[in-house]
Amino acid sequence: MILVLCGTQKQQFSRIIEMAELLYKFDNEIIVQNGHTKYESNKVRLLDFISSEKLENYYEKADIILTHGGTGSIMTGIRNRKPVIAVPRLEKFHEHVDDHQTEIVHKLSELGYIISCNSLIKSDIVNCYNKAMSFQPNNDPIYSKIHEMISTILNKDN
């Protein structure tokens, strides 16, 4: 099963769902948390928003996580020891207000924690999927500490 996460931003992110549809020939169980992205498909199962409990169950069941470049989704995939393919939302497609997700995805990919799918060619997702099938993510525990640090910072603001 492939779990696809569009994030909770109000900007549309149909590009990642179109990429997920290209993976249907490899895995016909694709769950998409599409959030605010409006999309129709007969290849993927679309769910606007998922409770945290259900989302955690999907993370556990998933063979691969295909996600936007948000730190929460990426870190949860890493914590669940799943191959994570990250597609950063891009400002030029009005998917986000800036390109900070590109920097996050690039750095985590460079360090061996995730697979970056930053190509503008949607079919490149197939190469990323094939790479994910044998991907062994870096298990350096420093990232669990970074996750805790980010969570602590975020919780201070709430």
Side-chain angles (χ1 to χ4, degrees):
M1 188 257 280
I2 300 171
L3 176 61
V4 182
L5 303 160
C6 293
T8 57
Q9 291 82 13
K10 294 197 177 195
Q11 296 93 339
Q12 299 293 301
F13 194 31
S14 58
R15 185 166 55 98
I16 196 171
I17 302 173
E18 293 167 4
M19 294 168 91
E21 286 183 314
L22 296 174
L23 300 178
Y24 182 76
K25 62 185 172 188
F26 302 108
D27 191 328
N28 61 14
E29 185 178 10
I30 302 174
I31 306 293
V32 178
Q33 176 271 311
N34 58 300
H36 293 286
T37 299
K38 302 299 178 210
Y39 199 87
E40 291 184 20
S41 175
N42 61 0
K43 295 181 178 173
V44 302
R45 182 173 169 210
L46 296 160
L47 302 169
D48 292 348
F49 291 97
I50 305 171
S51 71
S52 57
E53 182 177 280
K54 283 185 179 177
L55 187 57
E56 194 59 43
N57 287 335
Y58 285 130
Y59 268 105
E60 289 174 14
K61 288 176 54 179
D63 299 306
I64 293 175
I65 310 298
L66 173 60
T67 182
H68 68 117
T71 55
S73 300
I74 291 173
M75 291 304 187
T76 303
I78 292 171
R79 190 179 67 238
N80 278 280
R81 301 192 184 281
K82 301 294 180 174
V84 174
I85 302 171
V87 179
R89 287 174 169 257
L90 299 175
E91 181 183 17
K92 70 179 170 186
F93 296 136
H94 308 288
E95 296 166 344
H96 214 301
V97 296
D98 59 29
D99 289 331
H100 74 277
Q101 289 192 353
T102 301
E103 297 169 34
I104 293 167
V105 169
H106 173 75
K107 189 63 177 176
L108 291 175
S109 174
E110 181 180 80
L111 294 171
Y113 291 96
I114 65 171
I115 298 166
S116 170
C117 195
N118 199 19
S119 171
L120 299 180
I121 302 168
K122 292 176 190 156
S123 61
D124 282 351
I125 190 64
V126 174
N127 293 332
C128 294
Y129 173 84
N130 287 330
K131 186 175 180 182
M133 296 305 290
S134 60
F135 184 67
Q136 295 295 317
N138 184 344
N139 285 321
D140 185 343
I142 191 168
Y143 276 89
S144 64
K145 292 177 185 173
I146 289 175
H147 183 264
E148 290 171 18
M149 290 169 33
I150 291 170
S151 294
T152 301
I153 291 168
L154 292 175
N155 288 331
K156 280 183 181 178
D157 293 334
N158 292 332

